[in-house]
Structures are given as C-alpha cells and as structure tokens.
C-alpha cells in the first residue's frame, strides 16, 4: 500500500502526487503538563491523531502527512519550566514558510492540524495570511483536533472536566493509551472535587485572559481522577474518525 508519510517519499513521487493531494501538517508543542505527564504530550497526541486520520482518509482521497512540528506558542507555560516556545512573530513566519514551501512543491490543498491550545489563533492567522496577503493559489485550512471532534468529545464521561483541557483527565487518558510508560501515575494530583481556575477561563466562548490563572491552577485544568487507558482508546478512536472525515471533506472542496 502506498505510504501516506510525506517524508518517506522522493521528490519525484511528491511532485507527481502534489497537484491532486491534500497535505496535512500536524503542529504540536513541547511544554509542561503538570507533575505526572511528559512535556511531549501535545505532540504525541497530535502525531498519532494526524497519522491515523490520514491513513483512514487515504482510503477515499489522496492525502499525505508531514512530520509534526513539535514546538509551538507556549509562552504561558514558561514560568513552570520544561517548555520550549517560539515567540508569536517567529511562529507565524515559520508556519507561513512551511505553507509557501508546500505550494512551491505543487500542493494546492494544505491543512494545518493543531494539537495545542496556544497555537489556535496563530494557525488561523497563517491560513488567512497565505490566502489573502500572499494570495497563494491553494486551499488552506487550519483546524484543531478537538474542533473536528467536538461532538464526540462531548459524549465522554469526564465528570465535568474539559476536553481536551490541560494535563487533566482527558490528556492523561490519551497518554495512558499511547505512551503509558511516560505517565507517572504515582504523581497524579489527588482528587480535589472541583476544577482548577484555568478551566473557568476556557469555559468562555470568547477569548479571555486572566492574570496569573496558569500559576493559580498549577498549570492544569483538572486533577485526572477520571483518567483511564480505556477512556483514552475510546477518545482517540472517535477523534481519529472525526478528523479523517474533516480531511476528506476539505479535500473535496
């Protein structure tokens, strides 16, 4: 079966595929995830979701996936340590250069698939920048996996915790399913009975920034008491199906 991995192909193979293919660019982050999760959590999740969804979408469409960009906009995590972040200007320029390179390669459908909350506005701005400022002759999209899978995520039993949230029940479940050896279950914070202040900020439908909310929340939205390996497998399977459906719809535009 033909590979869906951009980086496994030669320049000639990519040139032949480019005009009729959608290329998915996964974007993640390296940042603190509380006392119990590895700093690669966002990158691990989006890499798995992107590769699996592209394989599923490739059954009905010509789709490729690039290597994941592991670093993103994570300035708000820097006070905790364990974080590597671009500044907003550098990150916008970086995503723009990736997009222009792919159009240079002949691709006319590009999807930035995001796995980190701090990247949301930047990815959307880059899509606008490429389409309206650079006027590239290509279809450009930016989407986060939780946007594609919003209906599915709403069905998960997380005892009121947000999905995806940050370093809480959802992400802990996903890492238990993907990389259990990296989850320090003995360091999971004890059940606290209520969400962290950070979850209150994320509950708004508009963009709200509260002073020191990350520090007051210990860099997490909830305490992971609902996390399980089974929940992680269920959540990932649903999200992958939703993202694959989105990719195919975008490809057919």
């Amino acid at each position: 079966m033909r590979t869906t991995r951009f980086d496994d192909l030669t320049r000639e193979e990519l040139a032949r595929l480019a005009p009729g293919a959608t290329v998915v660019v996964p974007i993640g982050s390296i940042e603190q995830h509380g006392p119990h999760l590895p700093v690669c959590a966002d990158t691990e999740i989006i890499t798995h979701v992107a590769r699996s969804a592209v394989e599923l979408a490739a059954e009905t469409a010509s789709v490729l996936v690039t290597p994941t960009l592991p670093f993103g906009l994570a300035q708000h995590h820097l006070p905790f340590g364990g974080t590597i972040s671009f500044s907003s200007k550098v990150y916008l320029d970086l995503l723009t250069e990736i997009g222009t390179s792919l159009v240079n390669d002949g691709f006319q459908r590009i999807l930035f698939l995001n796995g980190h909350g701090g990247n949301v506005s930047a990815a959307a701005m880059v899509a606008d920048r490429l389409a309206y400022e650079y006027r590239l002759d290509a279809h450009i999209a930016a989407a986060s996996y939780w946007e594609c899978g919003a209906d599915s995520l709403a069905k998960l039993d997380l005892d009121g915790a947000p999905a995806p949230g940050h370093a809480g029940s959802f992400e802990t479940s996903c890492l238990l399913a993907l990389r259990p050896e990296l989850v320090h279950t003995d360091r999971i914070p004890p059940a606290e009975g209520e969400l962290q202040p950070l979850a209150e900020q994320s509950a708004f439908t508009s963009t709200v920034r509260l002073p020191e909310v990350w520090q007051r929340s210990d860099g997490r939205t909830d305490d992971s008491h609902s996390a399980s390996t089974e929940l992680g497998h269920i959540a990932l399977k649903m999200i992958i199906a939703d993202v694959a459906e989105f990719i195919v719809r975008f490809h057919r535009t």
Side-chain angles (χ1 to χ4, degrees):
M1 185 175 66
R2 179 181 63 82
T3 181
T4 58
R5 296 278 296 274
F6 182 101
D7 46 323
D8 283 347
L9 297 169
T10 67
R11 64 186 186 188
E12 285 79 10
E13 290 169 329
L14 288 168
R16 286 195 298 270
L17 291 170
T22 289
V23 60
V24 176
V25 182
I27 52 178
S29 183
I30 299 296
E31 67 198 35
Q32 69 83 28
H33 270 78
H36 62 295
L37 292 182
V39 300
C40 66
D42 287 353
T43 296
E44 283 288 332
I45 292 171
I46 193 59
T47 299
H48 177 75
V49 167
R51 290 179 179 176
S52 300
V54 164
E55 286 186 10
L56 189 57
E59 295 176 5
T60 56
S62 179
V63 189
L64 298 173
V65 59
T66 71
T68 301
L69 179 62
F71 308 116
L73 281 181
Q75 299 283 328
H76 45 297
H77 292 284
L78 288 173
F80 297 97
T83 299
I84 300 174
S85 178
F86 291 114
S87 67
S88 55
K89 181 184 183 305
V90 169
Y91 191 60
L92 287 170
D93 288 345
L94 179 60
L95 292 185
T96 299
E97 293 296 331
I98 290 173
T100 53
S101 293
L102 290 169
V103 172
N104 239 11
D105 289 338
F107 289 93
Q108 298 173 340
R109 301 175 185 86
I110 301 166
L111 167 61
F112 291 98
L113 186 63
N114 176 42
H116 166 57
N119 297 340
V120 172
S121 57
M125 186 177 295
V126 166
D128 284 344
R129 192 188 221 185
L130 293 171
Y132 303 128
E133 291 183 34
Y134 285 60
R135 296 184 178 277
L136 297 183
D137 185 18
H139 291 229
I140 315 289
S144 300
Y145 72 77
W146 57 86
E147 295 171 331
C148 299
D151 291 341
S152 294
L153 291 178
K155 299 173 185 176
L156 295 177
D157 182 13
L158 293 172
D159 290 338
H166 185 79
S169 293
F170 174 81
E171 289 191 322
T172 301
S173 295
C174 290
L175 265 295
L176 283 170
L178 292 174
R179 299 291 304 277
E181 74 280 7
L182 298 182
V183 180
H184 299 278
T185 54
D186 58 320
R187 302 179 197 169
I188 293 177
E192 296 157 325
E194 60 184 25
L195 301 177
Q196 293 292 322
L198 182 59
E200 299 174 12
Q201 173 178 285
S202 62
F204 287 93
T205 54
S206 57
T207 300
V208 175
R209 297 290 180 256
L210 305 177
E212 304 298 319
V213 68
W214 280 91
Q215 287 84 338
R216 287 188 288 114
S217 301
D218 191 28
R220 54 193 175 87
T221 53
D222 54 289
D223 57 33
S224 304
H225 69 273
S226 298
S228 71
T229 303
E230 180 183 11
L231 180 62
H233 284 300
I234 292 171
L236 289 167
K237 183 177 181 180
M238 292 192 302
I239 291 166
I240 289 165
D242 291 338
V243 171
E245 181 183 353
F246 177 84
I247 293 171
V248 172
R249 289 206 319 270
F250 172 68
H251 177 81
R252 292 174 176 168
T253 57

